[in-house]
Each structure stands twice: as structure tokens, then as C-alpha cells.
Amino acid sequence: MGLKKLITSCYRNQSRDVFSRHDSERAIWLEYTGDKNENKVPDADEIGVHDFEGDGDFRSAEGIALLEQADIVVTNPPFSLFREYVAQLMEYDKQFLIVGNQNAITYKDVFPLVKENRLWLGVTPKGQDMLFDVPGHHAQSLLETGKEGSAYRLVDGVVKGRLGNAAWFTNLEHRKRNEELILWKRYSPDEYPSYDNYDAINVDRTAEIPMDWEGAMGVPITFLDKYNPDQFEILGMDHELIEGFDGALGSRFYISGARKYARIVIRKRQT
């Protein structure tokens, strides 16, 4: 891939086993600068092992020093620290490809980055779990204590770990981001009612965005998987747009007094 080198930092771990139990007060970081014996495999003696003084926390001075070296960051950050991790990537102006909960799109300190086209969804197959390989002892533990379809999945008889409701987040351009959504339905007031507390029409499915409506539309957050910034403009999230709006009924949009699920308000760009 033409990489200069690959750095992997660990948290509370002094073993190269990726499935660490975080049982050490100190940590290590690994550095791979390429294949030396030309067997096309990163052998153990080709991977430099370096000690952290601390536990390897990404917020530590040691962690930040490694971050400053990086051109692209690829990782699965702790979901509970997702906001803080993204903020750090933005502060240090890094390109990234990271895994997060799909609902992170709606976080008040993440959604503005989506709106400003500083962060967007990567290519995450919809309706499919994010699966990953697990070592043998962990696979056996999942079989004994976990529930298939929830904790793991069997693929051709092989146990795969499962991340449900997860997605890739990135600021790297990819082909899917520039695909134009084909619009085919026409607007009718019966099928696309207006909200009680905001001047926009409701669209329940991204695939049914009307081709002949030029005003504001409220769409599900799953729209972001199809979002092409050349085709649509994001005006904001429902809860931020109705703040101070006359007659607002709450933090979401309402239709005939019934509360709707979270909505992103968009408008077609003029062509």
C-alpha cells in the first residue's frame, strides 16, 4: 500500500495479543516499517516493540506524540469516549477511519461536523453486522456463554465476534459519497405532511424523497448513508432547529400532535 510505517498503540497492555484484558498499569506500542525477509508476512522480529512510560491512554502526552506522527488514523475507539476521541482528531487535523455507534451521528458535538462536511459515514453495508475474527479461546467462551446473533455469529462454521449498530466514520473521500440519489416520487400533501412545529415536510424513507419539492424536508438519520453534499444541503437536526421556534412542542418534530423519530432537515441544492 506504499505505507512508510504502521504504528499500533496499546492501552494497559504489554502483550501483542489484540484481545488484551487491560491488566497492566503500563503499555507498549508497536512499529512495523516493512517486510525485511520478503516473505510478505509481518514476522515478530520485524515488529519493533516499545515501552510507554504510562498506560497508553490516547489522551496522554505519549499517545499524542504518536498521533502527531500519523497521517491516517484507523481504529475502534471506546464508544463511551467517542466524542472526546473525535474532538482530538479534529484538534490535530488528522485524516481518519474509525468505528462508532451509528447513533453518534446525532451527538450535539458530532453532528455539526457532519453538517460542515468535516466528518461523514464510511462504507458500512446496511442491514449487516460488523464482524471480526476472534482467537480460539475467546471463540469457545462465546459459544459457551454468549447468544448467537447477539454476542457472535457463525459464518461457515467459524465463530465471528459481532458489533451491532456500528458504522465507519471518516473524513476520507470515497466513491459512494459522490453517488447521486435517484429521485422518482412526486410530492403530494397527503403523502408528505408538514410538521406542527417546523416549516418542513416529513419524509419517512430516504428512497422516497420527492423529486419536485424544493423546500425543507425532514428525513431519517439513515439518510446520511446516502448523503451526497453536491446534491443536498443539511440544514440541521430537529432538536436544534425547533429551539425557539414559535409553538414548539418538544425536542422532536410533531405531526398532528404525534411525535416523530429523530429527523435531519435537508434541502436539495439548486442545479
Side-chain angles (χ1 to χ4, degrees), residues 186-248:
R186 293 193 175 276
Y187 166 78
S188 73
D190 291 335
E191 197 166 0
Y192 299 98
S194 297
Y195 297 115
D196 300 344
N197 54 338
Y198 189 74
D199 186 16
I201 64 169
N202 179 68
V203 180
D204 280 325
R205 298 180 61 210
T206 298
E208 296 179 354
I209 291 174
M211 60 187 294
D212 54 349
W213 180 262
E214 304 300 329
M217 300 173 277
V219 295
I221 62 173
T222 51
F223 160 82
L224 290 179
D225 183 52
K226 303 291 186 183
Y227 172 49
N228 177 344
D230 295 327
Q231 187 178 12
F232 295 99
E233 174 188 6
I234 293 178
L235 303 181
M237 280 289 297
D238 48 10
H239 62 82
E240 62 179 357
L241 290 172
I242 63 175
E243 197 171 301
F245 189 87
D246 289 341

Side-chain angles (χ1 to χ4, degrees), residues 57-66 68:
D57 192 300
F58 70 87
R59 298 161 292 191
S60 68
E62 291 179 299
I64 291 172
L66 289 182
E68 290 179 320

Side-chain angles (χ1 to χ4, degrees), residues 102 124-131 153 162-167 176 222 225:
Q102 289 184 17
T124 306
K126 293 304 172 186
Q128 297 182 33
D129 290 331
M130 197 173 284
L131 304 178
R153 286 195 183 277
R162 172 184 178 272
L163 272 180
N165 199 33
K176 185 178 179 183
T222 51
D225 183 52

